[in-house]
Amino acid sequence: KLHGPANAPSLARLRGVNLTAVRQQLALLQREGLVAIQVEKRKVGRPTHLFTLTEKAEALFPQAYGPLALGLLRQIRQLDGVRKVDRLLARRTKELADGYKKRLRGRSLEERWEELARIRAEEGYMARPLEGGLAEHHCPIAAIAKEFPQVCRFEQQLFESVLGRKLQRTDHLASGGRACVYALPAAARPRKR
């Protein structure tokens, strides 16, 4: 991260360890998808392999997206009012729904719940499908939800849009619950035989 792309011998010198140990660690990091190899041709001699961090590795470093997003929403609210924030969130919800619908297309309701949980897990929500529902055990936008609780309403609208069903939220992280849980209303659930 500090020195940019580097070959194994230079990494060994930087860390003060032997070359074999560095190569073993690089192989492990490459299998994990955390480093990638670039081949650099030299004027003299054989090309060298340079190791660089991948996007997956970059995501492990501290990010400031949350504070930035929260600050921007505050500025929008201050300059243009809460209705402008709602319009922005509605637009974002529609954009997300368009992408989600592509991944859910052609699936049964149960398969859509499963794929929706996969999508949300990829986005950091620690989501898992439930029978006829979805539970999110983490909220990566919790700071935003605390100050702008309407994001939770838009989340429910997103799920209703992509599933084509009315839902009820039976638990809510922002209200002190253990998870955000969405399910079909009891009257709309298929009866067990």
Side-chain angles (χ1 to χ4, degrees), residues 46-59:
R46 297 188 333 203
T48 188
H49 291 98
L50 298 177
F51 295 87
T52 62
L53 296 176
T54 63
E55 284 185 32
K56 183 177 178 182
E58 292 289 347

Side-chain angles (χ1 to χ4, degrees), residues 129-174:
L130 305 172
E131 187 175 325
L134 170 79
E136 295 177 329
H137 297 277
H138 175 69
C139 182
I141 60 166
I144 292 172
K146 185 175 183 178
E147 190 166 335
F148 295 91
Q150 63 265 49
V151 299
C152 299
R153 180 172 34 90
F154 283 104
E155 179 178 70
Q156 183 167 342
Q157 288 175 9
L158 169 65
F159 297 162
E160 290 175 345
S161 170
V162 301
L163 293 168
R165 303 276 199 297
K166 276 293 200 198
L167 302 174
Q168 65 183 105
R169 187 175 57 219
T170 59
D171 203 0
H172 189 216
L173 283 166

Side-chain angles (χ1 to χ4, degrees), residues 58-73:
E58 292 289 347
L60 298 174
F61 291 89
Q63 308 292 325
Y65 301 122
L68 173 64
L70 187 55
L72 290 172
L73 288 172

